[in-house]
Amino acid sequence: MTVDIAARGPATVAALSGEVDLECSPAVRRALLDALRDGRPVIVDLSLVSYIDSSGIASLVEAYQAARKQGTALMLAAVSPAALRVMQLARLDRVFNIRPTVDDALAVLAQ
Amino acid sequence: MTVDIAARGPATVAALSGEVDLECSPAVRRALLDALRDGRPVIVDLSLVSYIDSSGIASLVEAYQAARKQGTALMLAAVSPAALRVMQLARLDRVFNIRPTVDDALAVLAQ
Amino acid sequence: MSRPADPAAAAPAAPPARARTAATDSALLARLRVPARPPSLRIVRRTVREAALVAGADAAWADDLMLAVDEACQNVVRHAYAAAPETGDMVIVVRTHPPSDDGVTVDILDFAPAVDPTRVRGRDLDDVRPGGLGVHLIHAVCEEAGFQPPPDGAGNLFRLVKHFAKPPVDG
Amino acid sequence: MSRPADPAAAAPAAPPARARTAATDSALLARLRVPARPPSLRIVRRTVREAALVAGADAAWADDLMLAVDEACQNVVRHAYAAAPETGDMVIVVRTHPPSDDGVTVDILDFAPAVDPTRVRGRDLDDVRPGGLGVHLIHAVCEEAGFQPPPDGAGNLFRLVKHFAKPPVDG
Ligand SMILES: Nc1ncnc2c1ncn2[C@@H]1O[C@H](COP(=O)(O)OP(=O)(O)O)[C@@H](O)[C@H]1O
Ligand SMILES: Nc1ncnc2c1ncn2[C@@H]1O[C@H](COP(=O)(O)OP(=O)(O)O)[C@@H](O)[C@H]1O
């Protein structure tokens, strides 16, 4: 599993790839909370997530709640079928702000 | 694992894909011996072989020997890195007639 | 293992070790023992997914079963062994589901102190919090899931049952 | 399991079952039991490859170990159980290699009649024939491979050792 952090226009894009499980979800949590620290909106690119479990989802929920508390936008983009399946099972697909692509998320921020 | 048999110019192309192991190597053996039956040259496309074990290699050796006996060309083409590794370990990479691509194998037949 | 000093004192005699270990469970697909720690979960996922495929499942079905077993094993790692983390193993047994092999049963065994099953509850899904999702995910993808009396020597036995074809829903 | 009717008649007393099964082998990465039949090999490959990765191997190293274990398990399926095909199980135990965790040891156990190790030989590689390659592949990718005295209850134990860094070659 890797987390790739990059600046993209006004936002920070955090691209997760591989399997987000109990072993690595603490690192995902830290990386997302870190990325939120400078106040720029965060787009979490989930296109390369081949697997995510409840601990990975919990890291996303925690980042989402931290973002709301500080009034920063946090969007999920390009959610892979594997990740979407788990979000639907957990009924979180309507809680998160989910965009089809990173570009689409950037366009929303530009409005 | 699948074996896909198709006519291509003067030859029969047998494309193996997936894992060629003890469970399915008998089917590979049968498919290749069948393909040889009408006397047309056979090109075995190994580009999509993600794994092959000694039983899969044995099926290729058997087809190769059957082809020699009946005077038909049998070539391996586009051998995947995983399959090449096992052939090298078995020191069979110089026994088989190996071509970089199916087109290259067809060009050799056209000479 | 300690044995009575005089074998004749023990009646009936214990069967020879060989007969015991060679006995084959005809429904067995795979039995895996791993240390109860986070990196083992990757091994569990590979094993369970492939066992489901060998049983005849399609990829989506196998992925769902894999998720449920991962969640149950996470609970062993994080909760069952909470008092002494990473001190024990867990055992995952995948079997075709009798009588008609119409699904798969997975037993997850640990050697931790017995858990109080009434304390194992998922949270209300409308209350958006991190955590508390594992139990929901398990029940979302399996027809049956719950603690069973553990066999001799084990601490807890959590059993999942997932059918290939869902029974028709009424109403 | 049969037990003496009067526990006091057995001295010394057997330890509680719990203590026995909870004992953890600190070098254990994974222990897998599967029926000795061809479809199980897919499960073995997934489990062994991932256990090697958890031990710190890179992908190419894990692929080579997976091949060697598959070949050894094929021999169990095809030769060890030849007299009574698909009647027994095999057990694959993957451990970090002591003392310095510089590799992995894999034990492959079966419950078939004892094999005569002198009859297990690969063929001459210059003699191009189908078959007889498995033993060569095993030795090509592992530093050590051979039969060991099996534990109580097992028929045969075949052990593979593969080091992370090959020892320097002389000359
Ligand atoms: N195997 C177990 N042993 C002990 N307690 C458990 C076990 N599994 C679950 N629990 C309890 O049930 C609760 C809900 O579990 P779960 O839905 O998986 O969410 P989470 O583990 O994220 O809290 C846990 O917080 C824990 O208190
Ligand atoms: N586990 C085993 N039990 C009994 N005999 C074996 C075993 N493994 C190998 N052999 C013997 O050693 C020979 C060489 O094995 P191998 O190189 O794997 O090639 P193959 O199995 O294709 O013949 C086999 O043909 C068999 O006679």
Side-chain angles (χ1 to χ4, degrees), chain C residues 131-143:
Chain C
L133 289 173
V135 168
H136 280 286
L137 293 175
I138 291 168
H139 287 280
V141 301
C142 291
E143 278 80 47

Side-chain angles (χ1 to χ4, degrees), chain C residues 32-110:
Chain C
L32 177 70
R33 184 178 184 123
V34 289
R37 61 184 180 206
S40 295
L41 297 170
R42 291 193 262 152
I43 304 174
V44 171
R45 291 200 298 274
R46 303 289 176 269
T47 307
V48 169
R49 184 174 192 279
E50 198 65 36
L53 295 176
V54 167
D58 65 26
W61 195 100
D63 285 343
D64 279 355
L65 181 73
M66 173 179 79
L67 174 67
V69 175
D70 184 329
E71 294 296 341
C73 289
Q74 281 185 58
N75 285 342
V76 171
V77 172
R78 294 171 51 217
H79 303 301
Y81 282 110
E86 310 204 1
T87 53
D89 292 341
M90 54 191 176
V91 172
I92 297 93
V93 190
V94 189
R95 290 192 183 88
T96 55
H97 186 248
S100 49
D101 296 352
D102 62 339
V104 163
T105 299
V106 184
D107 283 355
I108 292 132
L109 292 147
D110 65 53

Side-chain angles (χ1 to χ4, degrees), chain B residues 85 89-90, chain D residues 64 134-143 162 166:
Chain B
R85 169 77 179 149
L89 289 172
Chain D
D64 279 355
V135 168
H136 280 288
L137 293 176
I138 291 168
H139 287 279
V141 301
C142 292
E143 279 80 47
K162 185 168 170 59
K166 291 218 170 137

